């Protein structure tokens, strides 16, 4: 690698300094106005707010946070790290089974462009007219300010983009207009905040290009970052370097009232996706057009994604939160990138960026409905790491594939040894299986099902068939932990056993589709697994006990309720209803963000009252953080940005109120609208097996339009309907008042949330 670094940097040193004409810019960048308040623009005029919850940009391959200054790196209060999909290194944890500990690696910081006047560098806290704006539609973060130092006034604007059009590219651009004449310096820095576990850190620099290569400890992944500087023709550039960072000092004389631009285009590559990462990063930076063109390309690429939208007329606060949530999810995934997504995506290193059930259960469904290509990486990752899952099963004495509770580079279990979840929370294997099946139902991709989905499903089924123990009264699964992580270990977790049985049935059905004969044991175990029968609990008639010996104690998060959605476990509606009423009242009021989102979906399906709306608000209001509407894991903090909560929140609008479910033969729709959504709900760009649908849920009537693709069948509460281009169908929209509930409770209200923890007033008799 040393010889390669020298070869590339000699080539760079021989290159002439790239001098580009200035792109047209606003005469006064500080006066540039953000996007109109239409649900697409998130802004703050408080740099402290932008520092406490910094913006997150990503393109599904690389992601980064941006500090309040507009570029650069800060370690506190929230580190503005940069992460690339799949890059894991050694972390100082001991893990179950002695597997190599793996954690996320933050790459060298790349965005810094400091403007220096009179020896003093710009800082947002010293600025006037400060504004930082995240344009969700275009995928660009813009920071504008007026900076006054030593009597000299400078208006400036920073733009940062992680390019959606070019996977390996990011760009940071500074435009400034001095209201004085004289010398000014712009300092470019590459390398701040690099993960301390990176080894063989090798910086190199000349006037035009800077490069840093490094190798991850333990895993030996080579990472490369290359930054190409674009400066005005009259600028003088002086490079410098030390052991960890490289700098370029850009000096030029400026005239009052003229606008100047300094930009850098950055290329990223790793040995996971490039034979020669340094060369790939160099080419990404050198082949890129001007900063203005890159920003424009990025906007077009984001525009294609936003052809699918969730529109909430009359709900401006929810509207921007819905779009911000989808933006965060899309920033973390990319078509063609076969890595899954952690609870924080590419925004940070929370939970070491390990992959949990969060990906399959909470994040993935919110993408699958409108962005199946981007969602596919989540399910492909499980096939990619199948060998690790097989090792996990063998290590614990079982057959098939046992998917890790915390998974990273290889799929081996990397849960820290102090956490019991790595040993006990085995339901992850069922969650993985459901996502594989959902992908087939939504996309109809039989080739992928055979090549990638079937090996995962077969491994999961073999695991459950070997994990269950036969006793005279049936098959049992002992000593596990369900989604409720406050009660463990338990025997015969209702969620674990029911989903294990469903996995065996899904695998058997997949075998039939593919013309494969499944083992007889699969159906035998599926039919005999003990799933606790509903019984009277808490004044309700039909509640499934959460596990053997459950005595009504508090639970951490949604558990048994998940059988209704997303699993559609076959049971009578009164059982679905009583499970929701009972367990919603017993969920930890300080539990994680996603619990009330599934409560909302289930309540909308049941349609008894307006509790779905209250649960929707409870799934967002306590967790969202200004100014960029990102989620924390819990009401009082936790990991950030918490994509798990954002994905759950989105599912309420994609699956809850439209009543969307994936079925063989066509999607199912059963829309419901609470009166608080009197403006309706419009979901555009829903995709099913190559078709594109729009679902317009309004009071009284829901209109479903096929925008593109062959005619199809939709199952509804009114029977099966044929949908064709140019021939929309109308469905009845259910309302709570039509179900004999208390009309007073269902009145439209401006109230936000019910008290945390307890059930909504209408959710319990």
């Amino acid at each position: 690698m040393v010889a390669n670094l020298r070869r590339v940097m000699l080539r760079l040193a021989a290159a002439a300094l790239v001098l580009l004409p200035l792109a047209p810019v606003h005469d006064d960048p500080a006066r540039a106005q953000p996007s109109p308040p239409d649900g697409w623009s998130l802004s703050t005029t408080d740099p402290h707010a932008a520092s406490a919850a910094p913006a997150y940009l990503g393109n599904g391959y690389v992601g980064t946070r941006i500090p309040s200054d507009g570029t650069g790196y800060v370690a506190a209060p929230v580190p503005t790290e940069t992460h690339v999909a799949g890059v894991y290194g050694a972390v100082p944890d001991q893990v179950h089974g002695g597997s190599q500990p793996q954690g996320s690696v933050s790459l060298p910081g790349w965005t810094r462009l400091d403007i220096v006047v009179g020896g003093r560098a710009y800082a947002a806290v010293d600025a006037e007219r400060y504004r930082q704006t995240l344009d969700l539609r275009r995928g660009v973060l813009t920071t504008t300010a007026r900076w006054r130092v030593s009597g000299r006034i400078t208006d400036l604007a920073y733009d940062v983009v992680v390019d959606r059009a070019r996977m390996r590219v990011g760009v940071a651009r500074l435009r400034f207009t001095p209201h004085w004449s004289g010398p000014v310096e712009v300092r470019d820095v590459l390398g701040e905040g690099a993960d301390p576990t990176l080894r063989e850190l090798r910086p190199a620099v000349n006037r035009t290009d800077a490069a840093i290569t490094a190798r991850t400890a333990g895993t030996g992944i080579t990472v490369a970052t290359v930054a190409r500087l674009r400066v005005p023709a009259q600028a003088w550039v002086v490079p410098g370097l030390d052991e960890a960072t490289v700098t370029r000092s850009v000096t030029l004389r400026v005239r009052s009232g003229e606008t100047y631009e300094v930009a850098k285009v950055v290329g990223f590559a790793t040995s996971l996706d490039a034979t020669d990462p340094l060369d790939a990063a160099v080419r990404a930076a050198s082949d890129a057009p001007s900063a203005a063109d890159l920003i424009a390309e990025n906007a077009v690429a984001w525009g294609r994604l936003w052809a699918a939208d969730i529109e909430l007329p009359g709900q401006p606060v929810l509207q921007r939160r819905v779009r911000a949530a989808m933006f965060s999810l899309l920033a973390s995934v990319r078509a063609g990138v076969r890595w899954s997504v952690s609870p924080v995506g590419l925004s940070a290193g929370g939970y070491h960026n390990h992959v949990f059930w969060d990906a399959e259960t909470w994040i993935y469904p919110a993408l699958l409905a409108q962005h199946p290509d981007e969602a596919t990486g989540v399910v492909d990752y499980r096939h990619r790491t199948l060998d690790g899952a097989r090792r996990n099963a063998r290590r614990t004495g079982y057959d098939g594939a046992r998917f890790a509770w915390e998974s990273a580079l290889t799929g081996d279990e990397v849960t820290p040894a102090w956490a019991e979840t790595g040993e006990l929370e085995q339901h992850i294997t069922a969650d993985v299986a459901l996502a594989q099946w959902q992908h087939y139902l939504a996309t109809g991709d039989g080739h992928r099902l055979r090549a990638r989905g079937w090996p995962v499903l077969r491994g999961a089924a073999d695991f459950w068939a070997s994990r269950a123990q036969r006793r005279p009264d049936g098959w049992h699964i002992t000593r596990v932990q369900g989604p409720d992580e406050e009660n463990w270990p338990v025997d015969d977790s209702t969620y674990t056993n029911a989903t294990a049985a469903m996995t065996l049935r899904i695998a058997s059905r997949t075998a039939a589709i593919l013309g494969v004969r499944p083992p007889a044991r699969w159906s035998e175990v599926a039919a005999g697994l003990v799933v606790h029968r509903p019984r009277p609990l808490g004044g309700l008639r039909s509640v499934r006990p959460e596990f053997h010996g459950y005595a009504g104690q508090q639970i951490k998060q949604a558990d048994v309720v998940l059988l209704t959605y997303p699993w559609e476990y076959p049971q009578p509606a009164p059982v679905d209803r009583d499970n929701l009423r009972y367990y919603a009242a017993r969920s930890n009021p300080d539990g994680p963000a996603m619990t009330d989102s599934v409560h909302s979906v289930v309540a909308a399906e049941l349609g008894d009252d307006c509790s779905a709306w209250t649960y929707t608000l409870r799934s967002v209001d306590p967790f969202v953080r200004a100014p960029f509407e990102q989620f924390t894991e819990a009401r009082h903090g936790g990991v950030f940005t918490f994509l798990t909560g954002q994905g759950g929140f989105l599912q309420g609008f994609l699956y809850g109120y439209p009543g969307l479910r994936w079925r063989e033969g066509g999607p199912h729709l059963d829309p419901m609208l609470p009166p608080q959504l009197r403006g309706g709900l419009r979901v555009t760009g829903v995709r099913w097996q190559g078709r594109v649908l729009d679902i317009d849920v309004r009071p009284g009537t829901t209109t479903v339009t096929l925008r593109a693709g062959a005619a199809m069948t939709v199952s509804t509460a009114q029977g099966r309907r044929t949908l064709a281009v140019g021939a929309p169908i109308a469905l009845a929209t259910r309302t709570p008042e039509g179900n004999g509930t208390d009309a007073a409770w269902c009145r439209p209200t401006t109230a936000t949330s019910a008290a945390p923890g307890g059930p909504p007033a209408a959710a319990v008799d």
Side-chain angles (χ1 to χ4, degrees), residues 69-123:
D69 285 348
T71 65
Y73 171 81
V74 298
V78 178
T80 51
E81 304 170 345
T82 295
H83 293 267
V84 170
V87 176
Y88 293 97
V91 294
D93 287 322
Q94 296 299 314
V95 299
H96 289 287
S99 301
Q100 171 66 51
Q102 298 165 7
S104 176
V105 174
S106 179
L107 269 63
W110 58 276
T111 63
R112 183 173 295 281
L113 283 174
D114 288 334
I115 182 169
V116 182
V117 176
R120 183 175 170 186
Y122 157 78

Side-chain angles (χ1 to χ4, degrees), residues 519-731:
R521 186 179 173 94
W522 288 4
S523 58
E524 181 185 358
V525 175
L529 263 169
V530 171
V531 178
H532 297 295
R533 295 181 181 277
R535 63 181 176 86
L537 279 175
L540 299 169
R541 291 183 178 182
S542 305
V543 179
R544 289 194 188 273
E546 191 179 285
F547 51 82
H548 178 71
Y550 176 71
Q553 58 265 49
Q554 175 180 278
I555 65 174
K556 178 185 177 181
Q557 60 194 57
D559 189 309
V560 173
V561 174
L562 290 163
L563 297 185
T564 305
Y565 175 84
W567 279 94
E568 296 191 75
Y569 185 77
Q571 60 189 9
V575 177
D576 295 322
R577 183 173 292 108
D578 285 357
N579 285 341
L580 174 62
R581 292 176 172 177
Y582 184 84
Y583 288 109
R586 286 160 181 80
S587 298
N588 189 333
D590 292 321
M594 63 278 194
T595 287
D596 277 320
S597 62
V598 76
H599 291 162
S600 176
V601 176
V602 174
E605 176 180 324
L606 296 170
D608 296 324
D609 49 43
C610 288
S611 61
W613 175 250
T614 304
Y615 286 128
T616 292
L617 295 178
R618 283 183 15 177
S619 75
V620 57
D621 286 351
F623 307 103
V624 73
R625 296 294 180 265
F628 303 116
E629 308 291 15
Q630 300 169 89
F631 276 40
T632 57
E633 180 181 17
R635 288 171 171 82
H636 308 295
V639 299
F640 169 86
T641 297
F642 192 50
L643 268 61
T644 308
Q646 291 181 298
F649 167 60
L650 288 171
Q651 288 187 54
F653 300 99
L654 293 166
Y655 299 95
Y657 297 120
L660 173 64
R661 301 291 186 272
W662 305 117
R663 303 278 172 79
E664 286 191 82
H668 177 79
L669 291 170
D670 188 13
M672 177 270 192
L673 200 66
Q676 290 88 347
L677 281 177
R678 54 189 176 272
L681 160 68
R682 189 165 186 258
V683 183
T684 61
V686 174
R687 294 183 177 269
W688 179 79
Q689 298 192 6
R691 285 84 160 178
V692 182
L693 295 74
D694 295 337
I695 306 170
D696 193 359
V697 186
R698 299 294 177 94
T701 302
T702 293
T703 303
V704 186
T705 303
L706 182 62
R707 199 194 310 168
M712 57 183 288
T713 300
V714 177
S715 67
T716 77
Q718 294 85 45
R720 300 183 69 79
R721 304 283 297 276
T722 298
L723 181 64
V725 173
I729 60 174
L731 308 177

Side-chain angles (χ1 to χ4, degrees), residues 383 445-456 514:
H383 179 259
D445 188 344
H447 175 74
R448 190 209 163 272
L449 181 68
R450 182 180 294 276
R452 299 175 187 172
W454 169 240
V456 171
L514 298 177

Side-chain angles (χ1 to χ4, degrees), residues 297-376:
E297 286 182 1
N298 175 70
V300 171
W302 272 103
R304 285 193 290 267
L305 292 175
W306 287 121
D309 194 15
I310 299 171
E311 300 173 18
L312 294 165
Q315 296 286 341
V317 174
L318 272 182
Q319 181 69 83
R320 68 172 185 260
R321 290 175 174 176
V322 161
R323 287 187 176 137
M326 186 60 78
F327 181 85
S328 292
L329 265 60
L330 290 170
S332 305
V333 295
R334 185 181 187 87
V337 173
R338 291 178 58 201
W339 291 99
S340 190
V341 58
S342 85
V344 296
L346 298 171
S347 73
Y351 289 117
H352 294 309
N353 253 342
H354 290 165
V355 177
F356 295 74
W357 78 316
D358 303 51
E360 278 83 7
T361 303
W362 306 100
I363 299 169
Y364 167 77
L367 293 164
L368 182 62
Q370 297 173 302
H371 303 284
D373 291 344
E374 285 68 26
T376 298

